[in-house]
Amino acid sequence: MRANNVRSIIADGRCAVNAWLSTDSPYTAEAISHCGFDSVTVDAQHGMFGRDALVRMLQAIAAGPATPMARPSTLDPAELGWLLDAGAYGIVAPGIDTAEAAEHLVAACTYPPRGRRSFGPSRGLLYGGPDYLDQADRTVTLWAMIESAQALGNLEQIAAVPGLYGLYIGPNDLALDLGERPGGRIGDTVARHCATIRDAAHRNGLAVGVFCADGDEAARWRFEGFDLVTPGNDLSMIRAEAQKRIASVRGVVGAAAPATGSGY
């Protein structure tokens, strides 16, 4: 089976850099895959596209060197299995607030006897290789998103669930649930929780990832010992670069693009 680049990078002690797609463009997906990102996540929860577009985007990512991943809209086993069948090599699952939810995620994404995933790998077999059935459970990465006060209270139990690969922080929903304003860079309160989540993940042999507002924030968390960082999504990168170029044309020296919430 084709190797999972993210697993290899993190096993080597390096930090994987993950792209995040929220817009419906296979062309953009293909270009992003060739930019140097280690993985590219297609967002089926908040992305502005439907199921058919998602397949085309996974195909486009697979045309480049980055590892294709996906965030599902729900923990529905049918959707989780379908995303894996479509060729996702990683699942970043939202709303994992309890150990039971984490167990549900693992069961839906792994084949018997460990789990209950239905056989029908489709593009997974095409992209992954003829031994997909034998190797998928050891190759695909399952990330549990920590994005609520309830999840923080159940952190150790979630991190102890067998079959998880990592914990992934959704800082904006976490901020919102803690009574803070989401969007922009990670505030002090959420940052303290990020460190706690990192430590819990590593204590339980898991990787830890985080969604960031931009490259500077992603660099901060890389140096804080995170294993995977996402420096914003495609739309935020386009907007920031567009505003930077407009400022250059208009002679606004040193102007910074205004902070914009990413929705994640």
Side-chain angles (χ1 to χ4, degrees):
M1 184 173 173
R2 188 190 301 243
N4 188 325
N5 193 39
V6 170
R7 279 187 179 273
S8 301
I9 289 168
I10 294 175
D12 286 344
R14 295 177 287 141
C15 179
V17 184
N18 173 59
W20 198 276
L21 301 180
S22 63
T23 57
D24 176 9
S25 174
Y27 184 28
T28 298
E30 183 179 19
I32 290 290
S33 184
H34 284 280
C35 277
F37 287 101
D38 301 306
S39 57
V40 180
T41 299
V42 180
D43 188 1
Q45 183 182 25
H46 290 297
M48 295 293 101
F49 46 78
R51 183 161 166 156
D52 290 344
L54 196 146
V55 174
R56 294 193 295 271
M57 292 169 72
L58 288 173
Q59 289 173 318
I61 295 165
T67 296
M69 306 207 301
R71 174 164 72 169
S73 62
T74 71
L75 295 180
D76 176 23
E79 180 178 352
L80 291 167
W82 181 83
L83 287 169
L84 294 173
D85 291 346
Y89 256 43
I91 294 291
V92 185
I96 303 296
D97 295 330
T98 64
E100 290 75 18
E103 290 166 354
H104 174 89
L105 169 66
V106 173
C109 294
T110 55
Y111 289 117
R114 168 184 275 180
R116 301 188 300 273
R117 180 182 172 188
S118 176
F119 181 75
S122 306
R123 277 207 72 250
L125 186 66
L126 181 66
Y127 173 73
D131 58 346
Y132 183 89
L133 176 63
D134 297 322
Q135 301 297 330
D137 291 353
R138 291 188 289 270
T139 303
V140 170
T141 56
L142 303 180
W143 299 82
M145 289 194 74
I146 305 299
E147 46 188 352
S148 72
Q150 184 182 10
L152 291 175
N154 294 320
L155 190 57
E156 287 294 337
Q157 296 94 320
I158 293 170
V161 171
L164 288 182
Y165 176 78
L167 304 181
Y168 186 95
I169 301 168
N172 290 314
D173 278 334
L174 184 55
L176 192 62
D177 202 47
L178 294 174
E180 299 193 350
R181 189 170 183 82
R185 294 199 174 181
I186 296 171
D188 291 341
T189 300
V190 173
R192 288 193 293 272
H193 288 301
C194 286
T196 300
I197 295 165
R198 175 202 59 204
D199 294 345
H202 289 168
R203 193 161 49 245
N204 285 275
L206 301 181
V208 62
V210 61
F211 189 94
C212 305
D214 53 31
D216 290 340
E217 186 172 66
R220 170 196 173 178
W221 291 107
R222 174 199 169 197
F223 288 116
E224 291 284 347
F226 274 60
D227 304 296
L228 180 142
V229 294
T230 304
N233 65 17
D234 51 349
L235 188 59
S236 69
M237 289 190 289
I238 290 169
R239 291 180 64 180
E241 184 61 24
Q243 289 165 340
K244 177 181 175 182
R245 294 188 186 197
I246 291 167
S248 296
V249 171
R250 291 178 176 165
V252 183
V253 179
T260 55
S262 62
Y264 305 108

Short mmCIF file of all heavy atoms in Angstrom, two decimals, residues 199-237:
data_model
loop_
_atom_site.label_atom_id
_atom_site.label_comp_id
_atom_site.label_asym_id
_atom_site.label_seq_id
_atom_site.Cartn_x
_atom_site.Cartn_y
_atom_site.Cartn_z
N ASP A 199 0.36 17.75 25.73
CA ASP A 199 0.97 16.87 26.72
C ASP A 199 0.18 15.57 26.88
O ASP A 199 0.76 14.49 27.01
CB ASP A 199 1.09 17.59 28.06
CG ASP A 199 2.07 18.76 28.01
OD1 ASP A 199 2.86 18.83 27.04
OD2 ASP A 199 2.02 19.60 28.92
N ALA A 200 -1.16 15.68 26.88
CA ALA A 200 -2.00 14.48 27.00
C ALA A 200 -1.81 13.55 25.81
O ALA A 200 -1.74 12.32 25.96
CB ALA A 200 -3.46 14.87 27.14
N ALA A 201 -1.72 14.14 24.61
CA ALA A 201 -1.51 13.33 23.40
C ALA A 201 -0.19 12.58 23.49
O ALA A 201 -0.13 11.36 23.30
CB ALA A 201 -1.54 14.23 22.16
N HIS A 202 0.88 13.30 23.77
CA HIS A 202 2.20 12.67 23.80
C HIS A 202 2.31 11.65 24.94
O HIS A 202 2.98 10.63 24.79
CB HIS A 202 3.27 13.75 23.93
CG HIS A 202 3.44 14.56 22.68
ND1 HIS A 202 4.17 15.73 22.62
CD2 HIS A 202 2.95 14.37 21.42
CE1 HIS A 202 4.15 16.22 21.39
NE2 HIS A 202 3.41 15.41 20.65
N ARG A 203 1.66 11.93 26.04
CA ARG A 203 1.69 10.99 27.17
C ARG A 203 1.04 9.66 26.79
O ARG A 203 1.40 8.61 27.32
CB ARG A 203 0.96 11.63 28.35
CG ARG A 203 1.15 10.94 29.67
CD ARG A 203 0.81 11.84 30.84
NE ARG A 203 -0.47 12.51 30.71
CZ ARG A 203 -0.62 13.83 30.59
NH1 ARG A 203 0.44 14.63 30.57
NH2 ARG A 203 -1.82 14.37 30.50
N ASN A 204 0.08 9.72 25.86
CA ASN A 204 -0.62 8.51 25.43
C ASN A 204 -0.13 7.98 24.08
O ASN A 204 -0.77 7.14 23.47
CB ASN A 204 -2.12 8.80 25.35
CG ASN A 204 -2.77 8.88 26.71
OD1 ASN A 204 -3.15 7.88 27.30
ND2 ASN A 204 -2.88 10.11 27.25
N GLY A 205 1.02 8.46 23.64
CA GLY A 205 1.61 7.97 22.41
C GLY A 205 0.94 8.45 21.14
O GLY A 205 1.07 7.82 20.09
N LEU A 206 0.21 9.57 21.22
CA LEU A 206 -0.49 10.12 20.06
C LEU A 206 0.23 11.35 19.53
O LEU A 206 0.94 12.05 20.26
CB LEU A 206 -1.92 10.52 20.44
CG LEU A 206 -2.84 9.43 20.99
CD1 LEU A 206 -4.21 10.03 21.28
CD2 LEU A 206 -2.95 8.27 20.03
N ALA A 207 -0.01 11.63 18.27
CA ALA A 207 0.43 12.89 17.67
C ALA A 207 -0.57 13.98 18.04
O ALA A 207 -1.68 13.71 18.49
CB ALA A 207 0.52 12.74 16.15
N VAL A 208 -0.16 15.24 17.84
CA VAL A 208 -1.06 16.36 18.12
C VAL A 208 -0.94 17.39 17.00
O VAL A 208 0.15 17.69 16.53
CB VAL A 208 -0.77 17.00 19.50
CG1 VAL A 208 0.63 17.58 19.57
CG2 VAL A 208 -1.82 18.06 19.84
N GLY A 209 -2.10 17.88 16.56
CA GLY A 209 -2.15 18.88 15.50
C GLY A 209 -3.03 20.05 15.89
O GLY A 209 -3.82 19.96 16.84
N VAL A 210 -2.91 21.16 15.15
CA VAL A 210 -3.71 22.34 15.47
C VAL A 210 -3.94 23.16 14.21
O VAL A 210 -3.07 23.26 13.34
CB VAL A 210 -3.01 23.21 16.55
CG1 VAL A 210 -1.66 23.72 16.09
CG2 VAL A 210 -3.91 24.38 17.00
N PHE A 211 -5.14 23.73 14.11
CA PHE A 211 -5.46 24.67 13.04
C PHE A 211 -5.01 26.06 13.47
O PHE A 211 -5.31 26.49 14.58
CB PHE A 211 -6.96 24.67 12.75
CG PHE A 211 -7.33 25.45 11.52
CD1 PHE A 211 -7.45 24.82 10.29
CD2 PHE A 211 -7.55 26.82 11.58
CE1 PHE A 211 -7.77 25.54 9.15
CE2 PHE A 211 -7.86 27.55 10.45
CZ PHE A 211 -7.98 26.91 9.23
N CYS A 212 -4.30 26.76 12.60
CA CYS A 212 -3.72 28.07 12.93
C CYS A 212 -4.24 29.15 11.99
O CYS A 212 -4.74 28.86 10.90
CB CYS A 212 -2.20 28.00 12.84
SG CYS A 212 -1.46 26.70 13.86
N ALA A 213 -4.10 30.39 12.43
CA ALA A 213 -4.59 31.51 11.63
C ALA A 213 -3.70 31.77 10.42
O ALA A 213 -4.18 32.19 9.36
CB ALA A 213 -4.67 32.77 12.49
N ASP A 214 -2.39 31.53 10.57
CA ASP A 214 -1.47 31.84 9.48
C ASP A 214 -0.15 31.11 9.72
O ASP A 214 0.00 30.33 10.66
CB ASP A 214 -1.24 33.36 9.37
CG ASP A 214 -0.81 34.00 10.69
OD1 ASP A 214 -0.14 33.32 11.50
OD2 ASP A 214 -1.14 35.18 10.91
N GLY A 215 0.83 31.40 8.86
CA GLY A 215 2.11 30.71 8.95
C GLY A 215 2.89 31.05 10.21
O GLY A 215 3.57 30.18 10.77
N ASP A 216 2.82 32.29 10.65
CA ASP A 216 3.56 32.68 11.86
C ASP A 216 3.04 31.92 13.08
O ASP A 216 3.82 31.46 13.91
CB ASP A 216 3.45 34.19 12.09
CG ASP A 216 4.23 35.00 11.06
OD1 ASP A 216 5.13 34.42 10.43
OD2 ASP A 216 3.92 36.19 10.89
N GLU A 217 1.71 31.82 13.18
CA GLU A 217 1.15 31.09 14.31
C GLU A 217 1.48 29.60 14.21
O GLU A 217 1.78 28.95 15.22
CB GLU A 217 -0.36 31.28 14.38
CG GLU A 217 -0.98 30.65 15.62
CD GLU A 217 -2.44 31.00 15.79
OE1 GLU A 217 -3.26 30.57 14.95
OE2 GLU A 217 -2.77 31.71 16.76
N ALA A 218 1.45 29.05 13.00
CA ALA A 218 1.80 27.64 12.81
C ALA A 218 3.24 27.39 13.22
O ALA A 218 3.56 26.36 13.83
CB ALA A 218 1.57 27.23 11.36
N ALA A 219 4.13 28.33 12.90
CA ALA A 219 5.54 28.19 13.29
C ALA A 219 5.68 28.17 14.81
O ALA A 219 6.48 27.40 15.36
CB ALA A 219 6.37 29.32 12.70
N ARG A 220 4.88 28.99 15.48
CA ARG A 220 4.92 29.00 16.95
C ARG A 220 4.61 27.62 17.52
O ARG A 220 5.33 27.11 18.39
CB ARG A 220 3.91 30.01 17.50
CG ARG A 220 3.74 29.89 19.02
CD ARG A 220 2.49 30.57 19.53
NE ARG A 220 2.30 30.28 20.95
CZ ARG A 220 1.31 30.77 21.68
NH1 ARG A 220 0.40 31.56 21.12
NH2 ARG A 220 1.20 30.45 22.95
N TRP A 221 3.55 26.99 17.00
CA TRP A 221 3.15 25.71 17.56
C TRP A 221 4.07 24.58 17.11
O TRP A 221 4.23 23.59 17.83
CB TRP A 221 1.68 25.43 17.23
CG TRP A 221 0.81 26.37 17.99
CD1 TRP A 221 0.11 27.44 17.50
CD2 TRP A 221 0.61 26.40 19.41
NE1 TRP A 221 -0.52 28.12 18.51
CE2 TRP A 221 -0.23 27.50 19.70
CE3 TRP A 221 1.06 25.60 20.46
CZ2 TRP A 221 -0.64 27.82 20.99
CZ3 TRP A 221 0.65 25.92 21.75
CH2 TRP A 221 -0.18 27.00 22.01
N ARG A 222 4.70 24.75 15.99
CA ARG A 222 5.74 23.78 15.62
C ARG A 222 6.85 23.80 16.66
O ARG A 222 7.30 22.74 17.14
CB ARG A 222 6.31 24.15 14.25
CG ARG A 222 7.50 23.28 13.85
CD ARG A 222 8.34 23.89 12.76
NE ARG A 222 9.58 23.15 12.60
CZ ARG A 222 10.65 23.62 11.96
NH1 ARG A 222 10.61 24.81 11.41
NH2 ARG A 222 11.73 22.89 11.85
N PHE A 223 7.29 25.01 17.06
CA PHE A 223 8.36 25.10 18.05
C PHE A 223 7.89 24.74 19.45
O PHE A 223 8.71 24.47 20.34
CB PHE A 223 8.96 26.51 18.03
CG PHE A 223 9.79 26.78 16.80
CD1 PHE A 223 9.41 27.76 15.89
CD2 PHE A 223 10.93 26.04 16.53
CE1 PHE A 223 10.15 28.00 14.75
CE2 PHE A 223 11.69 26.27 15.39
CZ PHE A 223 11.30 27.26 14.49
N GLU A 224 6.56 24.70 19.64
CA GLU A 224 6.00 24.26 20.92
C GLU A 224 5.85 22.74 20.98
O GLU A 224 5.28 22.21 21.94
CB GLU A 224 4.65 24.93 21.16
CG GLU A 224 4.71 26.42 21.42
CD GLU A 224 5.20 26.76 22.81
OE1 GLU A 224 5.26 25.86 23.67
OE2 GLU A 224 5.55 27.94 23.04
N GLY A 225 6.32 22.06 19.94
CA GLY A 225 6.33 20.60 19.98
C GLY A 225 5.15 19.92 19.33
O GLY A 225 4.94 18.72 19.52
N PHE A 226 4.38 20.66 18.52
CA PHE A 226 3.26 20.04 17.82
C PHE A 226 3.77 19.23 16.63
O PHE A 226 4.80 19.54 16.02
CB PHE A 226 2.26 21.11 17.36
CG PHE A 226 1.26 21.45 18.43
CD1 PHE A 226 1.67 21.96 19.65
CD2 PHE A 226 -0.09 21.23 18.22
CE1 PHE A 226 0.76 22.26 20.65
CE2 PHE A 226 -1.02 21.52 19.21
CZ PHE A 226 -0.60 22.04 20.43
N ASP A 227 3.04 18.18 16.29
CA ASP A 227 3.46 17.25 15.25
C ASP A 227 2.88 17.57 13.88
O ASP A 227 3.40 17.10 12.86
CB ASP A 227 3.03 15.82 15.64
CG ASP A 227 3.58 15.43 17.01
OD1 ASP A 227 4.81 15.36 17.15
OD2 ASP A 227 2.76 15.23 17.93
N LEU A 228 1.79 18.33 13.84
CA LEU A 228 1.16 18.73 12.59
C LEU A 228 0.52 20.10 12.79
O LEU A 228 -0.16 20.31 13.79
CB LEU A 228 0.12 17.71 12.15
CG LEU A 228 -0.63 18.00 10.83
CD1 LEU A 228 -0.87 16.70 10.05
CD2 LEU A 228 -1.97 18.68 11.10
N VAL A 229 0.77 21.01 11.87
CA VAL A 229 0.19 22.35 11.95
C VAL A 229 -0.46 22.70 10.62
O VAL A 229 0.02 22.30 9.56
CB VAL A 229 1.24 23.41 12.32
CG1 VAL A 229 1.75 23.20 13.73
CG2 VAL A 229 2.40 23.42 11.33
N THR A 230 -1.57 23.43 10.69
CA THR A 230 -2.30 23.88 9.51
C THR A 230 -2.26 25.40 9.49
O THR A 230 -2.91 26.05 10.31
CB THR A 230 -3.76 23.39 9.53
OG1 THR A 230 -3.78 21.97 9.66
CG2 THR A 230 -4.49 23.80 8.28
N PRO A 231 -1.50 26.02 8.57
CA PRO A 231 -1.36 27.48 8.57
C PRO A 231 -2.50 28.20 7.83
O PRO A 231 -2.29 28.93 6.86
CB PRO A 231 -0.03 27.69 7.86
CG PRO A 231 0.08 26.53 6.93
CD PRO A 231 -0.59 25.37 7.62
N GLY A 232 -3.74 27.98 8.28
CA GLY A 232 -4.89 28.61 7.64
C GLY A 232 -5.45 27.76 6.52
O GLY A 232 -4.92 26.69 6.19
N ASN A 233 -6.56 28.22 5.94
CA ASN A 233 -7.15 27.49 4.81
C ASN A 233 -6.89 28.19 3.49
O ASN A 233 -6.26 29.25 3.44
CB ASN A 233 -8.65 27.24 5.04
CG ASN A 233 -9.47 28.53 5.06
OD1 ASN A 233 -9.03 29.59 4.60
ND2 ASN A 233 -10.67 28.44 5.59
N ASP A 234 -7.35 27.59 2.41
CA ASP A 234 -7.08 28.14 1.08
C ASP A 234 -7.63 29.55 0.92
O ASP A 234 -6.96 30.44 0.39
CB ASP A 234 -7.62 27.21 -0.01
CG ASP A 234 -9.08 26.81 0.19
OD1 ASP A 234 -9.65 27.07 1.28
OD2 ASP A 234 -9.66 26.21 -0.73
N LEU A 235 -8.85 29.79 1.39
CA LEU A 235 -9.46 31.10 1.21
C LEU A 235 -8.72 32.17 2.00
O LEU A 235 -8.51 33.29 1.51
CB LEU A 235 -10.93 31.06 1.62
CG LEU A 235 -11.73 32.32 1.32
CD1 LEU A 235 -11.71 32.63 -0.18
CD2 LEU A 235 -13.17 32.16 1.79
N SER A 236 -8.30 31.84 3.23
CA SER A 236 -7.57 32.84 4.02
C SER A 236 -6.23 33.16 3.38
O SER A 236 -5.78 34.32 3.42
CB SER A 236 -7.38 32.34 5.46
OG SER A 236 -6.47 31.26 5.53
N MET A 237 -5.57 32.16 2.77
CA MET A 237 -4.30 32.42 2.09
C MET A 237 -4.50 33.31 0.87
O MET A 237 -3.73 34.24 0.62
CB MET A 237 -3.63 31.11 1.70
CG MET A 237 -3.08 30.33 2.88
SD MET A 237 -2.04 28.92 2.39
CE MET A 237 -3.27 27.80 1.72
#
